[in-house]
Amino acid sequence: MSAASESPSAPKPVLIAGEWIAASGQAFESVNPATGRPNFLIAAASEAEVDQAVDSAWRAVRQAAWRDMLPHKRAAVLRAIADGMDRNADTLARLQMIENGKVWAECQAQVASASATFRYYAGVCETITAEVTPPRGNYLSMTQYEPYGVVAAITPWNSPMTMEAQKVAPALAAGNAVILKPSEVTSSPALELGRIALQAGLPPGILNVVTGLGATVGKRLVEHPGVRMVSFTGGTGSGRAIARAAADKLMPVALELGGKSPHIVFADADQDAAVDGVIGGIFEGSGQSCVAGSRLYVQRAIATAFIERLVARAGQLKVDLPDARGAQMGPIASFAHREKIEGMVGTALQEGAQVLLGGRRPDTEALAAGAFYLPTILGGLRRDAHVVREEIFGPVLCVLPFDDEDDLVDQANDSAYGLAAGIWTADYRRAWRVARRLEAGSVWINTYKQLSIATPFGGFKESGIGREKGLTGIRLYQQSKGIYWGL
Ligand code: NAD
């Protein structure tokens, strides 16, 4: 079966060994969260089909066509994949938009970012070097980097294309075969990536795409003895389950997990810029971002005035259908996730929170069938309130005051998570001091959510293990080997 020949009513097939296979697990629906209407049926792989994908990946990775391909040739394949993504940019962006509801401009930007990631790792692949190490005798000693063989990439629904590129591109650059398991909410962009990669000349079996649920397909992949490394992005609970399974196999894992990032505004900050930064930091993508700045700490001297400006500006955000002109916030990615957000806001109210903005669904008729939720700002919170401690992964900002630097650092670090943080201040010495004291894998100073593929990314504490992106991003998918050559 070819991807092109699929019928719209049949479940989308999975990609194993370069073939499109009608998987035999229980198919499920992909639903457009902006309208509530079904998009497609997605096939779920059975355990036997996951095993087949792992076998095919091992067969492919052992063949000279991939194993002995010189780095500059591998780089050329990665660039051809990037070109294919650019040529199919509208298709990819649309698939993401109808599956997770992100606004069109963000979907387009994410395709561009994903193809740029393939180009970056093409460059890394053909330029990164092995090392000659200082000998202590009459020999030549070297460190070489070898692929693991077969690795699994498991991804979430909020930014599927960028997360998938961030794993698949370096894992291929490193010389592995990959089995990609996308989120059940956003299966289609990954299947499209599989099609583009095949067309770009990637040998069959080097990238397999198996769709299905985490509890079945994801679990089987993680536990499979033939999978030598897992790169996972998703919730901290799922990450913990994967780490446990990996411990049994003594298998390395990279875990990019949840966050509850503090966004900090000192009294001397440029307040216009800070208001924009705080709003983008939480409401872009309807708050469904691992690095969302969801805890706002404002220095007490400016708190009342700053929060008033923030509420006024956030109230003007255009919540609309994702392809509507000027839409700034689309729906929540699924109806079930909106319910979870509503439940958490309900708990906050029981704990005494004040709703400064939103806290409900929009009442616009045109949005009634979708999973929309208004930008929400909560005040009057205690620092141990559930919404201050737990990741909501939605458009909900918790606002808390602070007195001085020590109080701020104490509150900001009082979290199980440590993914990111933002600081707004005119005092560069303070910015440096606070940035160094914050327990977070990324810190932004007078900006927020800037991300470069060249800069390693990952979490402190329960936000994860390992660093993706940058040169460390390719090493994540390799193991070093010392070679001693007697002279
Ligand atoms: P999730 O953990 O429910 O699912 C992520 C992926 O893991 C899906 O493909 C799912 O099918 C699979 N999965 C779930 N349980 C599994 C298991 N036991 N074994 C193997 N696979 C399993 O997360 P989600 O709801 O899709 O995404 C939201 C979460 O992802 C949030 O917590 C968010 O913070 C996090 N996230 C983190 C980053 C980061 O870089 N740190 C980026 C984006 C999202």
Side-chain angles (χ1 to χ4, degrees):
M1 186 188 296
S2 83
S5 71
E6 24 174 303
S7 118
S9 56
K12 286 193 178 206
V14 299
L15 178 61
I16 298 177
E19 301 287 329
W20 294 97
I21 291 170
S24 57
Q26 177 73 51
F28 56 95
E29 252 180 6
S30 143
V31 174
N32 185 335
T35 60
R37 285 198 287 272
N39 292 313
F40 335 92
L41 271 180
I42 306 285
S46 64
E47 281 201 359
E49 285 148 356
V50 172
D51 296 356
Q52 220 181 310
V54 178
D55 291 348
S56 90
W58 271 114
R59 272 197 308 280
V61 85
R62 284 184 172 129
Q63 279 176 22
W66 187 245
R67 191 193 58 209
D68 298 339
M69 189 184 275
L70 292 172
H72 70 290
K73 294 269 171 71
R74 225 187 284 146
V77 176
L78 295 181
R79 280 194 199 94
I81 296 176
D83 292 343
M85 293 179 85
D86 290 345
R87 273 196 306 278
N88 291 279
D90 280 357
T91 305
L92 284 163
R94 187 170 174 281
L95 287 172
Q96 171 169 298
M97 183 185 74
I98 64 175
E99 290 195 328
N100 77 1
K102 281 204 166 173
V103 298
W104 178 242
E106 189 174 352
C107 294
Q108 283 179 307
Q110 291 199 317
V111 182
S113 162
S115 79
T117 295
F118 274 91
R119 287 208 172 80
Y120 174 81
Y121 279 108
V124 171
C125 179
E126 64 180 348
T127 54
I128 199 163
T129 52
E131 292 123 32
V132 174
T133 53
R136 293 200 160 213
N138 191 23
Y139 55 81
L140 176 69
S141 51
M142 308 169 70
T143 300
Q144 279 290 336
Y145 295 89
E146 308 284 3
Y148 282 102
V150 173
V151 307
I154 303 180
T155 52
W157 45 259
N158 61 321
S159 296
M161 290 181 294
T162 52
M163 304 288 150
E164 283 150 15
Q166 207 167 295
K167 297 184 188 307
V168 173
L172 295 179
N176 297 285
V178 179
I179 299 168
L180 171 60
K181 207 300 275 174
S183 161
E184 42 278 42
V185 179
T186 47
S187 304
S188 298
L191 292 167
E192 188 63 13
L193 174 64
R195 186 186 67 76
I196 290 168
L198 269 185
Q199 268 188 354
L202 191 73
I206 293 297
L207 176 62
N208 303 275
V209 185
V210 290
T211 47
L213 304 186
T216 50
V217 177
K219 185 168 180 289
R220 178 66 189 161
L221 264 180
V222 173
E223 291 173 355
H224 197 293
V227 171
R228 297 272 172 86
M229 187 267 175
V230 169
S231 179
F232 170 80
T233 298
T236 292
S238 314
R240 242 189 264 284
I242 290 169
R244 271 189 219 107
D248 276 346
K249 284 170 68 180
L250 291 178
M251 170 183 70
V253 282
L255 303 173
E256 299 282 357
L257 308 177
K260 190 78 193 175
S261 300
H263 207 156
I264 298 153
V265 182
F266 282 96
D268 63 357
D270 171 341
Q271 293 195 26
D272 286 332
V275 165
D276 284 349
V278 169
I279 287 182
I282 180 67
F283 297 124
E284 213 179 81
S286 299
Q288 301 164 113
S289 160
C290 54
V291 294
S294 51
R295 289 183 287 149
L296 172 65
Y297 293 100
V298 191
Q299 198 155 21
R300 206 178 293 276
I302 59 157
T304 307
F306 186 85
I307 292 162
E308 256 172 38
R309 284 169 83 168
L310 186 75
V311 168
R313 279 288 318 282
Q316 290 163 1
L317 287 171
K318 190 167 189 293
V319 180
D320 209 339
L321 295 168
D323 53 355
R325 187 184 287 271
Q328 291 169 296
M329 267 178 60
I332 304 303
S334 70
F335 291 86
H337 190 47
R338 179 175 64 176
E339 256 180 52
K340 187 183 152 213
I341 294 167
E342 288 175 330
M344 291 187 80
V345 172
T347 306
L349 297 182
Q350 283 164 17
E351 290 181 326
Q354 293 164 321
V355 177
L356 306 176
L357 183 72
R360 61 180 177 83
R361 302 175 184 188
D363 39 28
T364 325
E365 184 78 17
L367 306 183
F372 289 87
Y373 196 74
L374 289 174
T376 295
I377 301 182
L378 302 178
L381 292 154
R382 293 210 329 258
R383 63 193 272 182
D384 62 351
H386 279 90
V387 275
V388 176
R389 308 199 76 79
E390 288 166 23
E391 184 182 46
I392 301 177
F393 217 61
V396 182
L397 179 67
C398 299
V399 182
L400 297 111
F402 70 91
D403 294 309
D404 56 25
E405 226 171 278
D406 284 339
D407 173 36
L408 176 268
V409 170
D410 188 37
Q411 291 197 61
N413 286 343
D414 183 15
S415 169
Y417 296 109
L419 194 57
I423 304 167
W424 295 84
T425 177
D427 179 342
Y428 73 91
R429 288 189 184 88
R430 171 159 56 204
W432 175 251
R433 276 194 309 271
V434 175
R436 296 299 306 274
R437 290 176 70 189
L438 290 174
E439 296 168 347
S442 298
V443 177
W444 290 288
I445 299 168
N446 293 332
T447 180
Y448 201 81
K449 264 195 178 183
Q450 298 285 339
L451 290 165
S452 160
I453 185 61
T455 308
F457 176 87
F460 281 28
K461 302 192 277 187
E462 293 184 18
S463 288
I465 298 175
R467 295 290 178 270
E468 294 191 278
K469 300 188 175 179
L471 298 184
T472 55
I474 189 166
R475 296 296 188 223
L476 198 57
Y477 300 99
Q478 293 174 323
Q479 42 202 339
S480 76
K481 180 186 280 177
I483 299 183
Y484 295 77
W485 205 323
L487 300 175

